[in-house]
Amino acid sequence: MSVVPQLVVHRDKELMAQAAAARLITKIVDAQAARGYASVVLTGGRNGNGLLAALAGAPARDAIDWSRLDLWWGDERFLPDGDPERNVTQAREALLDSVPLDPARVHAMPASDGPCGPDADAAAAAYAAELAAAAGPEDHGPVPVFDVLMLGVGPDTHVASLFPELPAVRETERTVVGVHGAPKPPPVRVSLTLPAIRAAREVWLLAAGEDKAEAAAIALSGAGEIQAPAAGAYGRSRTLWLLDAAAASRLPRALYPPASA
């Protein structure tokens, strides 16, 4: 059952990134206080990397016990290790290389020159197995119950590498799939599926810029997830859309309170 999304609209993308970073710090610290560790799924793209850069510059980042943080990815471009287009490469540059993470808790998706070789489907199966191994009895499923799972929203409403009408967005059993023929380069990717995304306690969808306005309006208008994958991304307890004013420009004003503008 989907959770009714909450919307927070910020004046511009810089403010959105800073506020989202502050929100994430609080979530991680609270989870670590409650359970001893936290689990977060990162997203790439300009909004995901903008959030990580804002987190790197936030004085409160030192409140996090980085050694007790598990990091996963929602999707990855299936390219060689270290390729500048890979989400993990960009995340390391934006934040990860500057904080004391436990390398064993940084779960990058396989690269095309890794143990699985150039087989994206084998890479997806390997990542699914890694997720399953990390899931405890309390998670009641094949993936850990992530504290926060972040997703950038594409102009075509795609999230992770789940593009409208492609087979990956229709997957109901597997938690990770290889994506072939993606409409934006590179065409081959690895992605969490909607069932894996919905295992998260909270799903945050990030959208900034005028080019995301139509996608936000479609996804929040009751569109189906096959045609608008962002509409099918929701968390167990909370679904949060974090937007800037440009991305929210086509939304009915009634959808979000004036205080969040």
Side-chain angles (χ1 to χ4, degrees):
M1 180 179 163
S2 64
V3 176
V4 176
Q6 297 173 286
L7 277 66
V8 179
V9 181
H10 296 285
R11 184 180 63 242
D12 54 46
K13 65 180 180 184
E14 290 79 17
L15 191 59
M16 180 187 118
Q18 291 163 9
R23 190 183 289 272
L24 184 60
I25 290 169
T26 300
K27 279 285 162 197
I28 292 170
V29 170
D30 286 351
Q32 289 179 336
R35 272 200 327 275
Y37 67 93
S39 178
V40 171
V41 179
L42 301 180
T43 184
R46 66 173 192 246
N47 292 323
N49 291 325
L51 186 154
L52 293 182
L55 184 50
R61 79 178 203 185
D62 295 334
I64 294 171
D65 183 341
W66 295 97
S67 69
R68 293 188 294 128
L69 176 63
D70 287 294
L71 293 179
W72 302 86
W73 270 263
D75 74 319
E76 187 55 276
R77 297 160 174 135
F78 198 54
L79 297 166
D81 186 42
D83 189 291
E85 290 301 306
R86 273 176 62 83
N87 289 332
V88 65
T89 308
Q90 296 174 4
R92 289 189 187 284
E93 191 176 324
L95 171 69
L96 307 191
D97 285 346
S98 64
V99 290
L101 290 158
D102 176 352
R105 301 182 89 151
V106 178
H107 305 275
M109 286 184 162
S112 62
D113 59 350
C116 299
D119 185 340
D121 298 315
Y127 204 66
E130 191 172 347
L131 284 161
E138 70 280 4
D139 294 316
H140 304 293
V143 300
V145 177
F146 313 111
D147 291 298
V148 176
L149 183 148
M150 294 182 288
L151 297 166
V153 179
D156 60 354
T157 73
H158 84 265
V159 290
S161 284
L162 305 177
F163 293 89
E165 306 284 355
L166 287 192
V169 78
R170 301 174 185 270
E171 181 63 46
T172 58
E173 298 295 325
R174 291 175 294 172
T175 56
V176 190
V177 290
V179 176
H180 305 272
K184 61 180 287 191
V188 182
R189 296 154 174 260
V190 176
S191 182
L192 296 190
T193 60
L194 288 175
I197 287 168
R198 293 169 185 161
R201 288 184 178 85
E202 297 198 8
V203 169
W204 298 2
L205 296 108
L206 314 175
E210 217 168 292
D211 61 327
K212 307 295 178 72
E214 186 176 2
I218 291 170
L220 288 163
S221 69
E225 63 196 39
I226 306 300
Q227 294 76 30
Y234 48 82
R236 290 186 176 195
S237 61
R238 193 181 199 198
T239 306
L240 190 62
W241 279 74
L242 301 171
L243 309 106
D244 72 350
S249 60
R250 298 194 189 182
L251 296 174
R253 198 66 180 83
L255 275 182
Y256 57 94
S260 65

